Amino acid sequence: DRLFIAMAGHHQIWALDLVKKHVAPYAGAGPENIQDGDLLDALFAQPSGLTRDEKNLYVADSEVSAIRQVPINGQGDVKTLVGQGLFKFGDVDGVGSKARLQHALGVLYHDGKLIVADTYNSKLKFLDIKSRACKTWLGGKPNKGEEPLFNEPAGLSAANGKLYVADTN
């Protein structure tokens, strides 16, 4: 009965109660940064893509090049799976704080893992939720003379056994 909304400009996640027709902030205090903690005390930086499993919402928090985990039952803390902060970005496969993304805009929950649109690295990466291991799956710099597979992928969706990628460039 709720629709979650990424409010990039407000640096928050809002929830629309579809029964009461009421919208209000759900997570994020408003200032732009990265900070884990209580839902309304946590800080986000231009949250963009959203996806969920049965317990959590996953957020592509683009300006801090992070993937965040938010409980959907209204109890618990916002946690960072990958990412460290403003101006801490790159293209590094790794675990937790050792992994780097660059301005990730999209995220999709699939089969117990997350597929991340690592937008400015022009890649799709897998992120294991439990281990926080993040690894390149598709894309990146092509060999000389080849066209790149992606050019700033942003949105992700899956249907009928296919992955759809909104490739912004």
Side-chain angles (χ1 to χ4, degrees):
D1 295 333
R2 284 184 299 180
L3 175 67
F4 291 101
I5 306 162
M7 299 292 288
H10 290 277
H11 312 296
Q12 295 175 314
I13 307 299
W14 287 18
L16 170 62
D17 184 315
L18 297 170
V19 175
K20 295 178 183 177
K21 298 185 174 137
H22 179 262
V23 66
Y26 180 78
E32 180 182 44
N33 212 324
I34 187 170
Q35 177 179 294
D36 291 349
D38 185 69
L39 289 171
L40 291 174
D41 292 331
L43 299 180
F44 292 89
Q46 297 182 21
S48 297
L50 301 176
T51 192
R52 61 169 283 185
D53 62 16
E54 45 296 326
K55 294 182 181 180
N56 295 293
L57 185 69
Y58 299 96
V59 181
D61 203 9
S62 64
E63 197 63 17
V64 287
S65 300
I67 303 298
R68 316 287 295 284
Q69 180 179 308
V70 179
I72 57 175
N73 67 0
Q75 300 176 359
D77 290 344
V78 172
K79 296 177 183 173
T80 301
L81 299 177
V82 171
Q84 284 197 323
L86 292 165
F87 314 113
K88 293 184 180 177
F89 55 85
D91 184 9
V92 179
D93 291 350
V95 177
S97 63
K98 295 188 182 195
R100 291 284 183 274
L101 306 169
Q102 188 170 358
H103 205 80
L105 289 173
V107 62
L108 177 68
Y109 177 80
H110 179 72
D111 199 24
K113 293 184 181 176
L114 298 174
I115 301 171
V116 177
D118 190 3
T119 305
Y120 286 179
N121 287 320
S122 293
K123 292 181 175 183
L124 298 185
K125 294 184 177 182
F126 277 127
L127 173 57
D128 184 280
I129 297 166
K130 290 180 182 174
S131 71
R132 297 174 49 210
C134 187
K135 185 174 181 176
T136 298
W137 176 39
L138 294 169
K141 294 182 180 180
N143 293 322
K144 189 173 181 174
E146 293 180 352
E147 290 291 319
L149 185 58
F150 300 110
N151 194 347
E152 297 185 6
L156 300 170
S157 183
N160 299 321
K162 294 183 182 182
L163 176 66
Y164 295 89
V165 180
D167 203 19
T168 61
N169 270 340

mmCIF file of all heavy atoms in Angstrom, residues 1-7 12-18 21-27 57:
data_model
loop_
_atom_site.group_PDB
_atom_site.id
_atom_site.type_symbol
_atom_site.label_atom_id
_atom_site.label_comp_id
_atom_site.label_asym_id
_atom_site.label_seq_id
_atom_site.Cartn_x
_atom_site.Cartn_y
_atom_site.Cartn_z
ATOM 1 N N ASP A 1 0.805 -1.220 0.000
ATOM 2 C CA ASP A 1 0.000 0.000 0.000
ATOM 3 C C ASP A 1 0.838 1.270 0.000
ATOM 4 O O ASP A 1 0.299 2.340 0.256
ATOM 5 C CB ASP A 1 -0.935 0.012 1.219
ATOM 6 C CG ASP A 1 -1.952 -1.105 1.136
ATOM 7 O OD1 ASP A 1 -2.276 -1.532 0.017
ATOM 8 O OD2 ASP A 1 -2.408 -1.554 2.197
ATOM 9 N N ARG A 2 2.145 1.116 -0.223
ATOM 10 C CA ARG A 2 3.031 2.281 -0.260
ATOM 11 C C ARG A 2 3.844 2.292 -1.541
ATOM 12 O O ARG A 2 4.261 1.250 -2.036
ATOM 13 C CB ARG A 2 4.015 2.262 0.909
ATOM 14 C CG ARG A 2 3.421 2.642 2.225
ATOM 15 C CD ARG A 2 4.472 2.680 3.287
ATOM 16 N NE ARG A 2 5.054 1.350 3.404
ATOM 17 C CZ ARG A 2 6.008 1.030 4.235
ATOM 18 N NH1 ARG A 2 6.519 1.935 5.021
ATOM 19 N NH2 ARG A 2 6.478 -0.186 4.290
ATOM 20 N N LEU A 3 4.076 3.482 -2.014
ATOM 21 C CA LEU A 3 4.947 3.703 -3.163
ATOM 22 C C LEU A 3 6.120 4.529 -2.670
ATOM 23 O O LEU A 3 5.926 5.620 -2.122
ATOM 24 C CB LEU A 3 4.199 4.449 -4.268
ATOM 25 C CG LEU A 3 5.014 4.850 -5.490
ATOM 26 C CD1 LEU A 3 5.449 3.615 -6.267
ATOM 27 C CD2 LEU A 3 4.208 5.786 -6.372
ATOM 28 N N PHE A 4 7.343 3.994 -2.821
ATOM 29 C CA PHE A 4 8.530 4.727 -2.412
ATOM 30 C C PHE A 4 9.020 5.584 -3.571
ATOM 31 O O PHE A 4 9.012 5.157 -4.728
ATOM 32 C CB PHE A 4 9.623 3.761 -1.950
ATOM 33 C CG PHE A 4 9.287 3.064 -0.668
ATOM 34 C CD1 PHE A 4 8.819 1.766 -0.670
ATOM 35 C CD2 PHE A 4 9.426 3.727 0.548
ATOM 36 C CE1 PHE A 4 8.500 1.128 0.517
ATOM 37 C CE2 PHE A 4 9.105 3.097 1.739
ATOM 38 C CZ PHE A 4 8.639 1.795 1.723
ATOM 39 N N ILE A 5 9.477 6.789 -3.243
ATOM 40 C CA ILE A 5 9.876 7.769 -4.249
ATOM 41 C C ILE A 5 11.267 8.293 -3.916
ATOM 42 O O ILE A 5 11.503 8.759 -2.792
ATOM 43 C CB ILE A 5 8.883 8.954 -4.281
ATOM 44 C CG1 ILE A 5 7.458 8.445 -4.480
ATOM 45 C CG2 ILE A 5 9.272 9.956 -5.356
ATOM 46 C CD1 ILE A 5 6.387 9.452 -4.106
ATOM 47 N N ALA A 6 12.184 8.209 -4.868
ATOM 48 C CA ALA A 6 13.522 8.783 -4.694
ATOM 49 C C ALA A 6 13.433 10.276 -4.988
ATOM 50 O O ALA A 6 13.130 10.671 -6.109
ATOM 51 C CB ALA A 6 14.515 8.106 -5.640
ATOM 52 N N MET A 7 13.687 11.076 -3.991
ATOM 53 C CA MET A 7 13.627 12.537 -4.123
ATOM 54 C C MET A 7 15.062 13.069 -4.188
ATOM 55 O O MET A 7 15.624 13.503 -3.183
ATOM 56 C CB MET A 7 12.865 13.133 -2.931
ATOM 57 C CG MET A 7 11.431 12.644 -2.821
ATOM 58 S SD MET A 7 10.375 13.243 -4.152
ATOM 59 C CE MET A 7 10.213 14.960 -3.701
ATOM 60 N N GLN A 12 16.262 12.656 -0.056
ATOM 61 C CA GLN A 12 15.424 11.844 0.816
ATOM 62 C C GLN A 12 14.700 10.770 0.013
ATOM 63 O O GLN A 12 14.599 10.854 -1.213
ATOM 64 C CB GLN A 12 14.357 12.698 1.506
ATOM 65 C CG GLN A 12 14.896 13.727 2.457
ATOM 66 C CD GLN A 12 13.793 14.609 3.020
ATOM 67 O OE1 GLN A 12 12.927 15.084 2.294
ATOM 68 N NE2 GLN A 12 13.833 14.826 4.326
ATOM 69 N N ILE A 13 14.163 9.794 0.739
ATOM 70 C CA ILE A 13 13.226 8.821 0.192
ATOM 71 C C ILE A 13 11.879 9.167 0.804
ATOM 72 O O ILE A 13 11.766 9.298 2.025
ATOM 73 C CB ILE A 13 13.610 7.366 0.568
ATOM 74 C CG1 ILE A 13 15.056 7.049 0.190
ATOM 75 C CG2 ILE A 13 12.620 6.383 -0.041
ATOM 76 C CD1 ILE A 13 15.383 7.162 -1.271
ATOM 77 N N TRP A 14 10.876 9.335 -0.026
ATOM 78 C CA TRP A 14 9.530 9.621 0.466
ATOM 79 C C TRP A 14 8.670 8.386 0.249
ATOM 80 O O TRP A 14 8.975 7.528 -0.581
ATOM 81 C CB TRP A 14 8.929 10.807 -0.265
ATOM 82 C CG TRP A 14 9.517 12.139 0.131
ATOM 83 C CD1 TRP A 14 10.692 12.369 0.780
ATOM 84 C CD2 TRP A 14 8.945 13.414 -0.121
ATOM 85 N NE1 TRP A 14 10.894 13.704 0.945
ATOM 86 C CE2 TRP A 14 9.837 14.389 0.398
ATOM 87 C CE3 TRP A 14 7.788 13.857 -0.753
ATOM 88 C CZ2 TRP A 14 9.589 15.748 0.325
ATOM 89 C CZ3 TRP A 14 7.543 15.210 -0.827
ATOM 90 C CH2 TRP A 14 8.428 16.147 -0.282
ATOM 91 N N ALA A 15 7.557 8.330 0.986
ATOM 92 C CA ALA A 15 6.596 7.245 0.840
ATOM 93 C C ALA A 15 5.209 7.836 0.605
ATOM 94 O O ALA A 15 4.781 8.740 1.329
ATOM 95 C CB ALA A 15 6.583 6.357 2.073
ATOM 96 N N LEU A 16 4.547 7.306 -0.406
ATOM 97 C CA LEU A 16 3.171 7.697 -0.709
ATOM 98 C C LEU A 16 2.264 6.580 -0.226
ATOM 99 O O LEU A 16 2.365 5.441 -0.691
ATOM 100 C CB LEU A 16 2.986 7.905 -2.217
ATOM 101 C CG LEU A 16 1.556 8.085 -2.723
ATOM 102 C CD1 LEU A 16 0.908 9.324 -2.124
ATOM 103 C CD2 LEU A 16 1.549 8.155 -4.241
ATOM 104 N N ASP A 17 1.414 6.894 0.744
ATOM 105 C CA ASP A 17 0.419 5.949 1.230
ATOM 106 C C ASP A 17 -0.713 5.949 0.210
ATOM 107 O O ASP A 17 -1.428 6.947 0.059
ATOM 108 C CB ASP A 17 -0.089 6.374 2.609
ATOM 109 C CG ASP A 17 -1.051 5.380 3.215
ATOM 110 O OD1 ASP A 17 -1.954 4.905 2.490
ATOM 111 O OD2 ASP A 17 -0.910 5.094 4.410
ATOM 112 N N LEU A 18 -0.863 4.858 -0.508
ATOM 113 C CA LEU A 18 -1.830 4.791 -1.603
ATOM 114 C C LEU A 18 -3.271 4.711 -1.111
ATOM 115 O O LEU A 18 -4.190 5.026 -1.864
ATOM 116 C CB LEU A 18 -1.511 3.602 -2.513
ATOM 117 C CG LEU A 18 -0.145 3.687 -3.203
ATOM 118 C CD1 LEU A 18 0.196 2.368 -3.873
ATOM 119 C CD2 LEU A 18 -0.118 4.827 -4.202
ATOM 120 N N LYS A 21 -3.718 8.387 0.573
ATOM 121 C CA LYS A 21 -3.327 9.416 -0.405
ATOM 122 C C LYS A 21 -2.533 10.538 0.271
ATOM 123 O O LYS A 21 -2.819 11.714 0.108
ATOM 124 C CB LYS A 21 -4.540 9.944 -1.147
ATOM 125 C CG LYS A 21 -5.214 8.851 -1.940
ATOM 126 C CD LYS A 21 -6.339 9.373 -2.767
ATOM 127 C CE LYS A 21 -6.800 8.280 -3.578
ATOM 128 N NZ LYS A 21 -7.798 7.749 -3.978
ATOM 129 N N HIS A 22 -1.531 10.096 1.032
ATOM 130 C CA HIS A 22 -0.683 11.027 1.772
ATOM 131 C C HIS A 22 0.779 10.712 1.477
ATOM 132 O O HIS A 22 1.188 9.551 1.484
ATOM 133 C CB HIS A 22 -0.967 10.878 3.276
ATOM 134 C CG HIS A 22 -0.127 11.769 4.117
ATOM 135 N ND1 HIS A 22 1.027 11.334 4.733
ATOM 136 C CD2 HIS A 22 -0.259 13.073 4.450
ATOM 137 C CE1 HIS A 22 1.569 12.333 5.403
ATOM 138 N NE2 HIS A 22 0.807 13.399 5.254
ATOM 139 N N VAL A 23 1.573 11.728 1.228
ATOM 140 C CA VAL A 23 2.996 11.547 0.961
ATOM 141 C C VAL A 23 3.806 12.281 2.029
ATOM 142 O O VAL A 23 3.415 13.368 2.468
ATOM 143 C CB VAL A 23 3.375 12.037 -0.459
ATOM 144 C CG1 VAL A 23 3.204 13.533 -0.615
ATOM 145 C CG2 VAL A 23 4.774 11.600 -0.844
ATOM 146 N N ALA A 24 4.899 11.651 2.459
ATOM 147 C CA ALA A 24 5.742 12.254 3.491
ATOM 148 C C ALA A 24 7.147 11.662 3.402
ATOM 149 O O ALA A 24 7.335 10.567 2.870
ATOM 150 C CB ALA A 24 5.148 11.982 4.876
ATOM 151 N N PRO A 25 8.150 12.366 3.957
ATOM 152 C CA PRO A 25 9.492 11.793 4.007
ATOM 153 C C PRO A 25 9.490 10.479 4.778
ATOM 154 O O PRO A 25 8.840 10.357 5.815
ATOM 155 C CB PRO A 25 10.304 12.865 4.735
ATOM 156 C CG PRO A 25 9.562 14.138 4.481
ATOM 157 C CD PRO A 25 8.121 13.744 4.465
ATOM 158 N N TYR A 26 10.217 9.499 4.261
ATOM 159 C CA TYR A 26 10.341 8.192 4.888
ATOM 160 C C TYR A 26 11.747 7.987 5.450
ATOM 161 O O TYR A 26 11.924 7.442 6.525
ATOM 162 C CB TYR A 26 10.015 7.092 3.878
ATOM 163 C CG TYR A 26 10.125 5.707 4.442
ATOM 164 C CD1 TYR A 26 9.117 5.190 5.249
ATOM 165 C CD2 TYR A 26 11.249 4.920 4.202
ATOM 166 C CE1 TYR A 26 9.221 3.914 5.788
ATOM 167 C CE2 TYR A 26 11.352 3.642 4.738
ATOM 168 C CZ TYR A 26 10.341 3.146 5.531
ATOM 169 O OH TYR A 26 10.443 1.893 6.075
ATOM 170 N N ALA A 27 12.756 8.417 4.685
ATOM 171 C CA ALA A 27 14.153 8.262 5.114
ATOM 172 C C ALA A 27 14.954 9.456 4.613
ATOM 173 O O ALA A 27 14.744 9.937 3.505
ATOM 174 C CB ALA A 27 14.747 6.967 4.579
ATOM 175 N N LEU A 57 14.494 -1.869 0.941
ATOM 176 C CA LEU A 57 14.566 -1.039 -0.253
ATOM 177 C C LEU A 57 16.060 -0.817 -0.500
ATOM 178 O O LEU A 57 16.828 -0.642 0.453
ATOM 179 C CB LEU A 57 13.878 0.296 0.045
ATOM 180 C CG LEU A 57 13.707 1.311 -1.050
ATOM 181 C CD1 LEU A 57 12.695 0.784 -2.069
ATOM 182 C CD2 LEU A 57 13.184 2.618 -0.466
#
